[in-house]
């Protein structure tokens, strides 16, 4: 037996992680998309939504008003909606078109 290092252990062979073939991989599910609506007439620009969004989907413009900056990052947690003191933000899942399998 051949030993590569001072520990006296045999070299490790064949321990490379296997890449599953496309047929063995689970189907990738696309995550849902969400639309974030900000009702400007109700918003007082407190910044709570932007400050605490866990995915940094919202930012503040030059006037301090929230804007949807990265909607594609939204996971639909609705943190912004639940914590808005003025009920000025709404998060809704975007309906996907139904595919015809016939």
């Amino acid at each position: 037996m051949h030993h590569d290092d001072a520990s006296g252990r045999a070299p490790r062979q064949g321990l490379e992680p296997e890449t599953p073939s496309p047929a063995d991989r689970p189907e990738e599910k696309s995550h849902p998309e969400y639309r974030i609506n900000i009702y400007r007439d109700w918003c007082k620009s407190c910044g709570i939504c932007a400050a605490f969004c866990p995915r940094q989907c919202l930012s503040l413009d030059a006037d301090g008003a929230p804007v949807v900056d990265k909607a594609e990052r939204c996971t639909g947690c609705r943190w912004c909606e639940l914590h808005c003191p003025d009920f000025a933000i709404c998060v809704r899942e975007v309906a996907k078109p139904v595919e015809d399998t016939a």
Side-chain angles (χ1 to χ4, degrees), residues 22-90:
D24 294 334
R25 291 185 200 142
E27 261 186 58
E28 281 191 33
K29 296 179 183 175
S30 62
H31 68 78
E33 292 181 44
Y34 296 93
R35 175 168 291 126
I36 304 168
N37 293 321
I38 300 169
Y39 301 103
R40 299 280 169 216
D41 290 342
W42 296 0
C43 179
K44 65 181 173 199
S45 302
C46 68
I48 289 174
C49 56
F52 293 102
C53 176
R55 302 283 294 167
Q56 293 82 40
C57 300
L58 304 165
S59 62
L60 301 178
D61 66 12
D63 297 324
V67 292
V68 180
D69 193 30
K70 299 173 186 158
E72 70 279 359
R73 293 182 48 87
C74 182
T75 61
C77 73
R78 293 186 167 87
W79 195 101
C80 55
E81 182 178 327
L82 295 170
H83 290 84
C84 177
D86 298 311
F87 306 102
I89 193 162
C90 178

